[in-house]
Amino acid sequence: DTGVSQNPRHKITKRGQNVTFRCDPISEHNRLYWYRQTLGQGPEFLTYFQNEAQLEKSRLLSDRFSAERPKGSFSTLEIQRTEQGDSAMYLCASSGRDSLSYNSPLHFGNGTRLTVT
Amino acid sequence: GENVEQHPSTLSVQEGDSAVIKCTYSDSASNYFPWYKQELGKRPQLIIDIRSNVGEKKDQRIAVTLNKTAKHFSLHITETQPEDSAVYFCAASSRYGGATNKLIFGTGTLLAVQP
């Protein structure tokens, strides 16, 4: 399977602990996105990378959240001092280069389900 | 700000009937409108997309229409089958500088196809 890979699939942590998730995009894709999805809602944009550059962060992303993509390949999302409200599915997606200024589709991973107790 | 509204939130149809899901968007600069299907516990999967230079696109039993003037787009599924049962999300892209494709998603429609 050469799709987007996310690890771990599930993470249970106690409030106040730090957690880190990893995303491996489709190899030829230069764009990487993090989304958060809660039950009954659509995915909510968190942040976006083009190669190693983080080009946009959602205003909803508190300073407890940080994402990196150091070599323009895999990415990590870290949440510090987790809160119960952070419980959600964290989805990673990647897309290829635009051609003729058209958007290219996002391909999602299976997500990491975070439960903060 | 950017917003995508989706209706209905739930839709139940009989097998073989058609299903229509509608979305409206707020950002007039949006130019790309994908639809995703998400089965329980699985990843969202792209089923069809449309760009702003096209008014309609069809792929077998699935079609999407776009009205840029009204900022509406719709998903049409004909001859529904039980395996079409899932949550469907519409989305619209919002440009950021020279980059593209930050998708804003609707809240989803739970489609149930009754055998």
Side-chain angles (χ1 to χ4, degrees):
Chain A
D1 184 357
T2 57
V4 178
S5 176
Q6 291 189 247
N7 288 289
R9 290 295 308 274
H10 304 275
K11 178 69 177 179
I12 300 174
T13 191
K14 292 184 178 180
R15 187 175 50 192
Q17 298 296 304
N18 299 344
V19 294
T20 300
F21 312 140
R22 176 178 170 126
C23 171
D24 288 89
I26 293 172
S27 59
E28 60 267 28
H29 285 179
N30 65 329
R31 295 177 175 175
L32 187 147
Y33 307 78
W34 285 99
Y35 281 82
R36 176 171 61 192
Q37 187 176 26
T38 54
L39 197 63
Q41 297 296 316
E44 175 186 50
F45 173 78
L46 294 180
T47 191
Y48 158 69
F49 290 85
Q50 183 165 312
N51 300 312
E52 66 277 6
Q54 187 174 17
L55 296 186
E56 187 174 359
K57 290 173 62 173
S58 167
R59 290 187 296 274
L60 300 172
L61 208 62
S62 80
D63 56 6
R64 297 184 297 106
F65 287 70
S66 62
E68 294 182 343
R69 195 184 182 197
K71 297 183 180 179
S73 56
F74 74 91
S75 176
T76 58
L77 177 67
E78 181 183 16
I79 309 174
Q80 296 182 326
R81 305 181 302 280
T82 52
E83 302 173 355
Q84 287 187 322
D86 297 332
S87 296
M89 175 72 82
Y90 289 85
L91 293 165
C92 177
S94 68
S95 70
R97 298 179 185 276
D98 281 353
S99 62
L100 301 176
S101 77
Y102 289 148
N103 305 64
S104 55
L106 265 63
H107 298 265
F108 282 89
N110 283 320
T112 295
R113 181 167 295 285
L114 173 66
T115 301
V116 181
T117 61
Chain B
E2 306 142 344
N3 188 46
V4 175
E5 293 188 357
Q6 182 171 348
H7 300 281
S9 57
T10 59
L11 179 59
S12 180
V13 299
Q14 290 296 122
E15 182 176 359
D17 288 349
S18 295
V20 180
I21 302 170
K22 299 182 179 182
C23 290
T24 60
Y25 60 97
S26 60
D27 186 354
S28 57
S30 296
N31 63 348
Y32 174 64
F33 307 92
W35 286 86
Y36 284 81
K37 175 183 180 182
Q38 188 174 30
E39 297 176 358
L40 189 62
K42 296 191 176 181
R43 71 181 77 186
Q45 291 196 300
L46 179 72
I47 56 171
I48 195 167
D49 56 11
I50 191 167
R51 306 182 194 283
S52 60
N53 59 340
V54 175
E56 184 173 356
K57 182 177 178 181
K58 190 173 181 180
D59 182 3
Q60 299 182 3
R61 296 186 297 108
I62 295 173
V64 58
T65 58
L66 171 64
N67 182 331
K68 281 217 74 179
T69 302
K71 293 192 277 188
H72 289 171
F73 58 114
S74 300
L75 178 72
H76 304 252
I77 306 174
T78 58
E79 301 172 24
T80 53
Q81 300 166 4
E83 52 265 37
D84 293 330
S85 297
V87 179
Y88 290 80
F89 292 99
C90 63
S93 72
S94 178
R95 284 186 174 268
Y96 174 76
T100 62
N101 231 16
K102 182 186 84 170
L103 291 179
I104 306 299
F105 283 83
T107 50
T109 296
L110 175 61
L111 174 64
V113 180
Q114 309 298 330

